[in-house]
Amino acid sequence: MNFLDLIWLIPLFPLAGAAVQLAIGRRLPKSAISFISPGAVGISLLMSIGAVVQLAGLERRSHEVRLFEWLPLIKADMGFLLDPLSSVMILVVSGVGFIIHVYATGYMAHEHGPNHGGFYRFFGYMNLFVFFMLMLVLANNYALLFVGWEGVGLCSYLLIGFYFHKKSAGDAGNKAFIVNRIGDAGFILGMFMLFQLTGSLRFVDVNEVLRSGRFAVELGTFGALSLCALCLFIGATGKSAQIPLFVWLPDAMEGPTPVSALIHAATMVTAGVYMVARSNALYALTPETSHVVAAVGAATAILAASIGLVQNDIKRVLAYSTVSQLGYMFLAAGVGAYWVAIFHLYTHAFFKALLFLGAGSVIHALGGEQDMRKMGGIKDKVPVTFRTMFVASLAIAGIPGLAGFFSKDEILWQAWSSPLGSKALWMVGFATAAMTAFYMWRLMFMTFYGTPRMDEHTLHHVHESPKSMTVPLVILAAGSVVAGWIGMPKVFGENGFMQALEHWRAPVFAQGHAAAHEAASHAHHDTTMEWVLMGLSIGVALGGIFIAKALFFGGGNIELRTGGPLYPVLLNKWYVDEIYNFLFVKGLTINGGGAMARFDANVVDGGVNGTAWMTRMVSRISMWYDTWIVDGLVNLSAFTVRALSFPVRFFQTGYLQTYALVFVMGILAIFGYYWSR
Amino acid sequence: MPASFMPSAQELMRFAPEMLLTLAGTLIMLLEPFTESGNKSRLAWLALGALLAALGLTAVSAADPGPAFSNMLLIDEFGTFFRFLVLAVGVLTILISTHYLRSGGHESGEFYALLLFSIVGQCIMATANELIMLFIGLEVSSIASYVLAGYLRDDKRNNESALKYFLLGSFATAFLLYGIAWTYGITGTTDLSLIRSALLNPASRPNEVLTAAASAFLFVGLAFKVSAAPFQMWTPDVYQGAPAPVTAFFSAGPKAAAFAMFLRIVLTGFEPLKKEWEPLLWVSALATMIIGNFAALRQTNVKRLLAYSSISHAGYVLVALTTHSGPGAAAAMFYLAAYCFMNVGAFAIITHVARRDERYVEIADLAGLGTRQPLMAGLLTVFLLSLTGIPLTAGFFGKFYIFKVALDQGFIWLAILGLLNSALAAYYYLRVIVVMYMEPAPEGEGELPAPAAGVLAAAVGSAIATFFLGLFPSSLLDFADKARRIFN
């Protein structure tokens, strides 16, 4: 079976799943949906594996399938590109996606939602999300990528606001939607500039033009290319929650936990990193923008980690942790180490998805409690959840041998050694690593150790989650251990896996960054330094864990306010939300006079109210659709079948004479045909 | 006229599989009275051994292709393909039947002998290059089949099935023979390659009325045998009434052989009359798909459901035939191979669930099979998914190639309508899966025994074939592609 020519089928299975569930899901039993939804993603996973295995066998590891011309005006095809970069992405999306779908069948089992509609809508939207995400990473041009980009945003919005009867959930959905619109505007601008500059939106063509030498490297200047790259990066900051557009992601945790794990940790939020890596030929020509990318990444990493230090909501800690890790990825991309950014994206998908799913399991066990101050002492009651989260926390903290160590260490090394890097960037990343270890282990100690702090009733009902939830946890835990091994640092010797990975990706980033190559050769001289830095980061990870243990082990000190004088600032997330509110919402009304006030009242509030209204409308439409269209169609189709099978049954009497009669009628019809010709 | 009527050793070797099976069948008949009633399964082993030996001889004769008996047979790759297929179906049928017959106390040598004779006829249909030979092959196969349909003499349903099959089958055969007579009258020959040159020769180009009549009669006979509309009426009744293993056999072996015959006639001898045949095939393909699928929607009996499903599958193969092209023939061959394995596999499970006297053949009887016997339910799911045409199974590629060829050859509407039909078919196949997994087992029903070894072997073998063809379709398609080169 030639999977390579069938890659366009990969996104279609989840689309078909979504179509079936959203169209007739209300009529299907839950068991059917629990089968269709993960099944559709599972088939995509199998086809992705098949395609990637076959791609590995090709001489030139790049395969493009162009179905038809889609937008002639901007020369965009309905086309799909499989190369090492998109290979990693489809495996992450369909693999982790499949595991999370299975988990969700257990997690959402008791979900009735309003009008009992929740279950099938949830899984329909989840499949739809996977479809758009696969379109995003398999697209062979920016325009089609943008379709996926907008689509995942839409699904994210629908899923965040899934509990639309909860006001905070609706608000969070709106916030994500509006903030992302700002980023999308940047993306569109960047995309059109790129088309003006290179005459194409097809990745292969764009890269060819950019690498042809027609454009000089904009070193020390800020020309059209740099502006274009910056616009694209603004798009990335929206989707991937970077400064200044990171504010939506923590609020997005209002959605159901599997959504947080799939969309807001493992896949959608990494779309920005993927897009920047995909545009590496552009960023190679624009070192000034690359500096911006690295600086924004580093700043986001440390800012989010610092907020994570003091949060008490278990999912919020993980949310800020995600923002911080995404910052790491941009830091790597900004210093030209795109393959390292993708490597971290890939390891992060495992351990962060695991942390969210584990947190979901804890919340599930505690009957919906998310405040870590009301947890504690449950490690023996939820042994699988505890052990798997233990592994993930070691992985994210950067303990050697686990996935996070290899990728994070590689980022820090690139930040130090790359020509685009600097000691300052390394320092920021290094400090972030310390904070990461601390807040993760603070979470572990507060949640699982010490004495229980929940009420008697809740404690009594603490139970391990069903198999459908724990098995995915175990699989992801295994992934959190082994996923990093393919990317061992070079100082451990010429490791076959590492070579494989780097060479695998090489065609995508070929001559992408002279700097990266220099860095690679540079590395050979400087193994001592790499050992030293690695030792330091291991030390700082262990240090973070021990400080957390000293402060929070046993749970006696749960109200402890870390951060000293900065505590209120951190707890209030550096007042970023308030500042934005003041500057962009209130500021405009007060200082901008009546016109601005009207603008605010009609446009901004209108937008906010509009989206809230939209959520309600979507649900109302879906109810109307279920009642009239679905039920109507079911009745209609039953009628049609009866009507159409009538002639068949009319003649299928069982009497031989009738059969012979029909036989003769058939012969007469054939002769009649020849006669009339 | 050939110099000598004595066949050479080379020719006999090319005919060896059929000779071996005939001898084995006769031997079984002779041994039958001397075999104790407890030892009848020895005869099954004998039949199985004969079929395996025939498979071996087919492989040997494939190494030396060529004509036999004054061009009446043509042992080419096309014939070899279908010989392999019908022999494999025979092996699977014997595996399914033994336990079924023994548990009902009906095991006897005639069953296996008739089965072998029927397969001999089908092998001749696959290799015949001459209309009389095709007719003889068809009759050898059909008459044995009529008896097999009524094999359980005391069962009313069996009697009904056999009688209907026999009467309507004879009716159809008469038309086929009449068509052959017309053809002989027009062209003065029954050899397919000579018919072709006679039809192509502008000097002797026959009257259009005569060729139309010949085409119509031949079409009626062939359409009946492959259960194409509007001559499909007998199929549900015969399939439902015959013993389940026999139905498995009917739905695969005779049908594949009839299609082999159909393909050879349409693409060699009557290729010059393409224009006359095309509208017949077009309309019949469409009607067959629609009737099969719509009627299947409302069935409650599994055997009847699969009967209608087999009608719709014949419709898909007719789509490939309509294209009158070499690639179409290759697609049809691949589809038939895929179809034989998945359909016989499905019937193997149905035979197992039906138990003695076929008391459990309603869809509702499959409820809870997913928990009662997960392996059996899993295998049936594989076959049903393949019949639906889900990727990674043989059925997907079968449909894929057929509709691709139809599109390539410009039959766009036929391809679209066919695709819509196959989407509709998903409904009734999935309904069975839903019942198996999502409905509780009925109360108070007799214990479902563990599957017999033969049934298990047949089902697992078919499932392996289904997956193999789904994962590595080119292995078979390359062969089919080579085989279809004879149609140029």
Side-chain angles (χ1 to χ4, degrees):
Chain A
M1 182 160 172
N2 188 350
F3 290 102
L4 283 177
D5 284 327
L6 296 176
I7 50 174
W8 54 275
L9 277 174
I10 295 175
L12 292 189
F13 291 105
L15 179 66
V20 167
Q21 290 167 68
L22 293 175
I24 57 165
R26 205 168 75 100
R27 307 280 303 203
L28 294 176
K30 275 189 181 180
S31 47
I33 288 171
S34 307
F35 177 76
I36 295 171
S37 188
V41 184
I43 295 176
S44 294
L45 172 62
L46 291 178
M47 299 210 46
S48 305
I49 293 172
V52 172
V53 168
Q54 286 179 358
L55 184 73
L58 291 188
E59 187 82 3
R60 224 179 119 265
R61 291 206 187 92
S62 175
H63 188 84
E64 211 169 346
V65 177
R66 297 163 81 174
L67 292 184
F68 52 88
E69 194 168 52
W70 170 49
L71 299 173
L73 194 65
I74 50 172
K75 294 183 209 159
D77 297 322
M78 188 56 76
F80 301 87
L81 172 68
L82 190 72
D83 62 2
L85 178 57
S86 49
S87 297
V88 176
M89 294 305 291
I90 58 171
L91 290 180
V92 167
V93 172
S94 60
V96 177
F98 174 66
I99 295 170
I100 294 174
H101 271 73
V102 173
Y103 174 95
T105 60
Y107 189 85
M108 303 299 285
H110 304 296
E111 185 57 52
H112 296 295
N115 316 314
H116 304 279
F119 197 75
Y120 77 89
R121 266 196 306 124
F122 177 82
F123 281 100
Y125 292 156
M126 287 282 272
N127 268 8
L128 192 63
F129 168 78
V130 174
F131 159 69
F132 280 122
M133 192 67 207
L134 287 169
M135 290 294 284
L136 194 163
V137 296
L138 275 174
N140 80 338
N141 61 67
Y142 283 95
L144 192 58
L145 184 151
F146 187 67
V147 171
W149 184 275
E150 285 297 277
V152 290
L154 173 72
C155 294
S156 158
Y157 164 74
L158 290 169
L159 283 164
I160 294 170
F162 179 69
Y163 300 118
F164 57 81
H165 51 290
K166 225 164 90 182
K167 186 177 181 307
S168 58
D171 288 350
N174 293 339
K175 190 167 176 184
F177 198 73
I178 292 167
V179 170
N180 267 299
R181 298 307 308 165
I182 303 171
D184 293 345
F187 189 131
I188 296 174
L189 278 176
M191 190 163 76
F192 284 114
M193 286 177 70
L194 198 61
F195 183 70
Q196 286 298 320
L197 290 167
T198 64
S200 175
L201 286 177
R202 195 169 149 238
F203 296 140
V204 177
D205 293 342
V206 169
N207 287 350
E208 200 173 304
V209 171
L210 289 174
R211 283 172 188 151
S212 66
R214 236 176 74 195
F215 299 96
V217 179
E218 295 185 345
L219 194 62
T221 58
F222 198 85
L225 281 180
S226 299
L227 186 61
C228 170
L230 189 67
C231 284
L232 287 178
F233 178 62
I234 289 172
T237 60
K239 191 103 324 197
S240 291
Q242 298 296 294
I243 293 176
L245 300 179
F246 71 97
V247 290
W248 66 272
L249 185 58
D251 289 7
M253 298 301 142
E254 290 289 343
T257 303
V259 173
S260 312
L262 177 61
I263 300 186
H264 305 121
T267 55
M268 183 189 84
V269 290
T270 62
V273 182
Y274 165 77
M275 193 263 287
V276 170
R278 183 53 88 193
S279 318
N280 65 83
L282 175 65
Y283 286 92
L285 295 175
T286 57
E288 301 307 324
T289 311
S290 288
H291 286 315
V292 174
V293 174
V296 167
T300 310
I302 196 162
L303 178 88
S306 71
I307 297 172
L309 294 176
V310 301
Q311 298 299 314
N312 288 320
D313 181 319
I314 186 167
K315 281 180 76 181
R316 282 199 174 249
V317 176
L318 295 177
Y320 282 105
S321 163
T322 304
V323 176
S324 165
Q325 298 293 317
L326 289 167
Y328 265 131
M329 295 173 207
F330 280 106
L331 170 58
V335 299
Y338 303 104
W339 74 93
V340 181
I342 296 297
F343 182 34
H344 194 59
L345 182 162
Y346 152 81
T347 57
H348 176 252
F350 286 95
F351 57 72
K352 188 52 65 66
L354 172 54
L355 286 170
F356 268 111
L357 296 186
S361 181
V362 169
I363 295 166
H364 192 81
L366 294 174
E369 184 56 71
Q370 302 200 8
D371 191 334
M372 295 193 294
R373 285 170 299 191
K374 295 182 187 155
M375 295 182 183
I378 57 168
K379 74 185 170 73
D380 296 325
K381 294 202 166 193
V382 286
V384 180
T385 307
F386 167 67
R387 284 183 203 142
T388 51
M389 278 190 82
F390 192 92
V391 172
S393 303
L394 288 180
I396 190 174
I399 296 303
L402 290 98
F405 167 73
F406 297 110
S407 51
K408 184 190 282 188
D409 202 70
E410 192 65 25
I411 290 177
L412 290 177
W413 170 241
Q414 293 292 344
W416 173 280
S417 65
S418 160
L420 287 166
S422 66
K423 309 271 179 297
L425 287 175
W426 176 82
M427 267 307 295
V428 175
F430 184 71
T432 306
M435 292 182 186
T436 308
F438 176 81
Y439 67 68
M440 272 320 302
W441 283 87
R442 172 176 173 270
L443 179 150
M444 286 300 286
F445 291 128
M446 284 177 79
T447 308
F448 291 108
Y449 289 88
T451 48
R453 295 179 298 277
M454 66 290 292
D455 58 54
E456 220 23 66
H457 179 75
T458 316
L459 179 64
H460 187 70
H461 283 98
V462 174
H463 56 278
E464 183 59 284
S465 302
K467 275 271 185 304
S468 55
M469 290 168 68
T470 52
V471 171
L473 292 178
V474 173
I475 294 171
L476 286 172
S480 305
V481 177
V482 300
W485 294 353
I486 60 164
M488 296 241 191
K490 284 201 187 109
V491 288
F492 287 125
E494 290 294 302
N495 176 303
F497 280 120
M498 177 64 187
Q499 302 311 316
L501 184 80
E502 207 166 306
H503 290 161
W504 236 86
R505 300 210 182 111
V508 185
F509 304 121
Q511 331 133 29
H513 226 295
H517 278 262
E518 264 175 52
S521 55
H522 195 60
H524 285 293
H525 315 273
D526 224 350
T527 47
T528 336
M529 200 61 217
E530 196 172 353
W531 277 113
V532 170
L533 294 183
M534 192 187 299
L536 279 174
S537 67
I538 297 170
V540 84
L542 289 173
I545 296 174
F546 282 120
I547 295 171
K549 185 175 181 197
L551 292 177
F552 292 98
F553 189 71
N557 216 355
I558 230 64
E559 293 295 336
L560 184 75
R561 307 191 153 193
T562 41
L566 271 177
Y567 177 77
V569 181
L570 294 181
L571 189 65
N572 287 299
K573 306 156 227 162
W574 296 91
Y575 298 104
V576 173
D577 277 336
E578 285 74 9
I579 294 168
Y580 284 3
N581 202 26
F582 179 73
L583 282 181
F584 300 117
V585 185
K586 297 239 168 55
L588 286 177
T589 30
I590 296 166
N591 304 326
M596 272 302 170
R598 272 201 301 283
F599 175 83
D600 183 56
N602 296 329
V603 180
V604 179
D605 285 1
V608 172
N609 295 336
T611 46
W613 177 83
M614 215 168 94
T615 322
R616 282 198 304 276
M617 270 315 281
V618 167
S619 66
R620 205 168 297 161
I621 289 170
S622 98
M623 272 170 60
W624 178 87
Y625 172 84
D626 279 340
T627 320
W628 292 100
I629 309 286
V630 177
D631 292 359
L633 274 179
V634 169
N635 295 336
L636 180 72
S637 65
F639 173 76
T640 318
V641 167
R642 223 173 302 146
L644 282 173
S645 60
F646 174 73
V648 178
R649 291 185 319 138
F650 180 76
F651 287 112
Q652 199 81 46
T653 53
Y655 291 113
L656 206 58
Q657 302 90 305
T658 322
Y659 295 180
L661 181 68
V662 174
F663 200 118
V664 173
M665 278 159 48
I667 297 164
L668 291 179
I670 292 172
F671 277 106
Y673 163 74
Y674 280 128
W675 185 265
S676 65
R677 211 167 42 143
Chain B
M1 273 289 140
S4 160
F5 290 108
M6 258 325 274
S8 67
Q10 196 189 20
E11 286 176 316
L12 289 176
M13 197 56 219
R14 287 177 185 147
F15 195 56
E18 286 86 349
M19 291 196 295
L20 175 85
L21 291 177
T22 312
L23 285 174
T26 316
L27 185 63
I28 291 172
M29 296 279 248
L30 286 173
L31 288 176
E32 158 60 28
F34 305 108
T35 314
E36 301 274 326
S37 61
N39 291 337
K40 302 285 188 196
S41 54
R42 287 183 192 164
L43 300 174
W45 283 109
L46 184 58
L48 199 60
L51 283 170
L52 293 175
L55 277 169
L57 285 174
T58 305
V60 172
S61 67
D64 174 32
F69 308 126
S70 319
N71 273 334
M72 286 167 90
L73 294 180
L74 183 62
I75 287 73
D76 50 9
E77 274 154 331
F78 179 80
T80 304
F81 181 95
F82 280 101
R83 264 181 173 179
F84 273 128
L85 192 57
V86 296
L87 290 170
V89 169
V91 170
L92 294 172
T93 309
I94 290 185
L95 289 175
I96 301 171
S97 329
T98 47
H99 178 76
Y100 175 90
L101 295 173
R102 203 177 310 139
S103 70
H106 303 296
E107 193 173 31
S108 75
E110 294 102 60
F111 183 89
Y112 303 113
L114 287 166
L115 197 64
L116 293 189
F117 293 147
S118 178
I119 291 170
V120 169
Q122 288 157 28
C123 285
I124 295 174
M125 287 157 83
T127 51
N129 192 36
E130 199 260 2
L131 291 176
I132 297 295
M133 210 61 209
L134 279 173
F135 181 73
I136 292 173
L138 181 64
E139 282 301 87
V140 170
S141 163
S142 299
I143 292 173
S145 300
Y146 301 149
V147 185
L148 281 174
Y151 180 73
L152 306 179
R153 276 184 295 260
D154 307 328
D155 190 313
K156 275 190 198 155
R157 290 172 297 180
N158 273 231
N159 282 321
E160 181 195 342
S161 168
L163 196 62
K164 281 184 178 169
Y165 198 15
F166 170 63
L167 287 175
L168 289 169
S170 314
F171 198 36
T173 312
F175 277 96
L176 186 73
L177 198 57
Y178 200 31
I180 292 175
W182 278 75
T183 310
Y184 183 74
I186 298 164
T187 61
T189 178
T190 52
D191 183 301
L192 282 170
S193 31
L194 296 179
I195 291 174
R196 180 183 157 86
S197 31
L199 290 174
L200 279 177
N201 186 357
S204 68
R205 192 165 178 86
N207 184 323
E208 242 184 51
V209 177
L210 300 178
T211 54
S215 302
F217 288 130
L218 281 175
F219 175 80
V220 170
L222 293 168
F224 176 87
K225 290 295 165 190
V226 301
S227 51
F231 310 105
Q232 88 299 346
M233 306 287 291
W234 58 279
T235 316
D237 291 14
V238 172
Y239 281 20
Q240 190 180 3
V246 174
T247 311
F249 179 67
F250 283 176
S251 72
K255 192 170 265 191
F259 265 116
M261 197 166 104
F262 211 151
L263 279 165
R264 219 189 261 272
I265 289 179
V266 167
L267 292 175
T268 59
F270 287 81
E271 205 268 340
L273 298 181
K274 210 160 126 175
K275 285 275 161 293
E276 321 245 334
W277 284 75
E278 198 183 283
L280 296 187
L281 290 168
W282 208 106
V283 173
S284 180
L286 188 59
T288 310
M289 289 189 290
I290 291 176
I291 291 178
N293 282 321
F294 272 97
L297 288 176
R298 283 179 63 79
Q299 300 307 321
T300 54
N301 180 297
V302 186
K303 280 167 85 185
R304 211 172 168 80
L305 175 90
L306 287 177
Y308 281 112
S309 130
S310 89
I311 292 175
S312 71
H313 285 281
Y316 303 131
V317 181
L318 282 174
V319 171
L321 230 73
T322 308
T323 65
H324 271 100
S325 63
M333 288 161 77
F334 183 90
Y335 197 89
L336 285 166
Y339 163 78
C340 281
F341 287 114
M342 60 206 188
N343 219 39
V344 174
F347 271 114
I349 313 285
I350 300 305
T351 308
H352 164 62
V353 178
R355 280 164 276 178
R356 216 183 132 189
D357 300 335
E358 300 198 13
R359 276 168 300 165
Y360 303 102
V361 284
E362 296 295 308
I363 293 177
D365 294 327
L366 288 166
L369 192 65
T371 48
R372 283 190 290 167
Q373 292 195 342
L375 177 64
M376 291 284 110
L379 287 167
L380 185 52
T381 307
V382 169
F383 300 129
L384 291 172
L385 290 178
S386 183
L387 287 165
T388 316
I390 301 290
L392 306 182
T393 61
F396 168 74
F397 276 103
K399 288 205 175 67
F400 181 79
Y401 290 130
I402 283 182
F403 293 128
K404 184 171 176 295
V405 169
L407 287 174
D408 289 348
Q409 303 285 331
F411 293 89
I412 294 167
W413 279 105
L414 192 55
I416 291 173
L417 291 168
L419 278 171
L420 287 177
N421 255 290
S422 66
L424 180 71
Y427 175 78
Y428 57 83
Y429 292 124
L430 293 180
R431 195 161 54 110
V432 178
I433 298 179
V434 167
V435 168
M436 280 200 296
Y437 285 98
M438 290 162 194
E439 281 177 18
E443 291 289 322
E445 189 179 306
E447 189 67 17
L448 182 58
V455 169
L456 193 63
V460 170
S462 305
I464 291 171
T466 304
F467 273 125
F468 182 81
L469 293 181
L471 291 170
F472 310 102
S474 51
S475 54
L476 186 68
L477 196 72
D478 288 349
F479 188 78
D481 206 43
K482 233 189 294 165
R484 64 93 176 166
R485 299 248 163 82
I486 60 164
F487 308 127
N488 276 329

